[in-house]
Amino acid sequence: MAHSFRRQNFHESQFNHLKCRLINFCETHFFESNGKVVLSKDEKENLSKIFNWVIGYRINVNLNKGLMITGDYGTGKSVLMKAIVKFIDEYYSDKIVTNGIPSPLYVISHDISNAYIEQNITLLNKMKTTSVLAIDDLGYEPKKVVSFGTEQHPFEEIMMYRYDRRRTILITTNLSLKQIGELYGEHVKDRLKQMVYIIEFKGESKRK
């Protein structure tokens, strides 16, 4: 059985250090090579929300409720996802903390559909049961696949399994919540609303 994702009790003196650590994990994306800060006010606020969630600090958080980072192309969603996964692994891993959790499982959305097509049972079971599952670029994978003559709906099945067992899920996507409902169904959208806090990044692409 997977452990619950339980945040540590950090001391006040650790707050600024930890926040710098999270920003450092993604600074290569958000900062120019000359050191000029390119974060907008909204981006800074979003990073603060993400930081507060990841350490459970100064906010009333549901310890098993995850994040969905949504927004335009090139706004840093994937970089942030990797930073969050690295931060969780560094501060909550069972390698670091007594009664910690296994390392978060990071997958790209196509990995989910491919696991069903190839009947990769090991990966499928891990995506269902791991304490923290991070799905990058949701919406690019096929909504349904056929494996050995059976039609399956990869994301829906993984998400529903985790929903029933209150397992933490992290998602990045270019889709809005409304578009998720249109693509995967209203029942998926409604459950996802219960499973995640939604943070939206706007603005022009930072890719150059």
Side-chain angles (χ1 to χ4, degrees):
M1 180 181 294
H3 295 81
S4 295
F5 174 33
R6 300 185 185 280
R7 297 162 180 79
Q8 299 180 56
N9 293 319
F10 294 108
H11 297 296
E12 182 76 25
S13 60
Q14 294 177 286
F15 181 83
N16 289 330
H17 167 72
L18 292 172
K19 194 165 188 176
C20 287
R21 289 289 294 147
L22 180 62
I23 292 175
N24 286 341
F25 286 147
C26 55
E27 67 180 352
T28 53
H29 180 87
F30 285 113
F31 291 80
E32 302 285 3
S33 58
N34 63 4
K36 181 181 178 182
V37 178
V38 294
L39 285 171
S40 69
K41 180 180 177 182
D42 288 343
E43 287 170 335
K44 290 178 181 178
E45 289 179 356
N46 281 343
L47 277 177
S48 290
K49 291 176 184 177
I50 290 170
F51 171 72
N52 287 341
W53 173 85
V54 83
I55 70 166
Y57 187 85
R58 292 182 176 173
I59 54 174
N60 182 22
V61 296
N62 179 332
L63 293 181
N64 294 101
K65 192 165 183 175
L67 292 177
M68 185 169 81
I69 303 173
T70 178
D72 299 323
Y73 297 95
T75 51
K77 300 183 299 297
S78 294
V79 173
L80 276 169
M81 171 73 85
K82 292 173 184 176
I84 293 166
V85 167
K86 188 173 180 181
F87 190 97
I88 292 172
D89 194 35
E90 182 165 324
Y91 290 100
Y92 301 105
S93 169
D94 52 14
K95 300 186 294 293
I96 307 297
V97 182
T98 302
N99 296 323
I101 64 171
S103 296
L105 177 61
Y106 170 89
V107 297
I108 299 172
S109 61
H110 273 287
D111 295 333
I112 302 175
S113 54
N114 289 340
Y116 274 88
I117 293 170
E118 298 165 6
Q119 283 298 290
N120 186 336
I121 303 301
T122 299
L123 180 56
L124 287 173
N125 286 338
K126 194 169 183 182
M127 288 190 292
K128 289 178 179 179
T129 61
T130 188
S131 291
V132 181
L133 174 64
I135 302 175
D136 201 6
D137 275 342
L138 180 69
Y140 283 96
E141 83 292 349
K143 178 188 173 185
K144 58 185 177 182
V145 300
V146 177
S147 179
F148 298 105
T150 301
E151 184 178 289
Q152 295 176 301
H153 299 78
F155 171 68
E156 177 183 349
E157 292 179 23
I158 293 292
M159 191 214 74
M160 295 293 280
Y161 187 97
R162 296 184 67 83
Y163 173 84
D164 289 339
R165 290 157 183 80
R166 296 172 62 96
R167 300 282 164 81
T168 304
I169 192 168
L170 310 175
I171 293 171
T172 70
T173 181
N174 295 323
L175 302 174
S176 66
L177 195 60
K178 178 181 178 182
Q179 290 170 322
I180 286 176
E182 293 169 350
L183 183 61
Y184 299 102
E186 290 298 312
H187 64 297
V188 171
K189 183 189 81 171
D190 286 345
R191 285 166 174 79
L192 196 58
K193 283 169 63 177
Q194 289 183 269
M195 294 178 75
V196 297
Y197 297 102
I198 300 174
I199 297 179
E200 183 179 5
F201 278 79
K202 300 178 181 180
E204 297 181 359
S205 172
K206 292 181 172 58
R207 298 191 182 108
K208 296 181 178 180

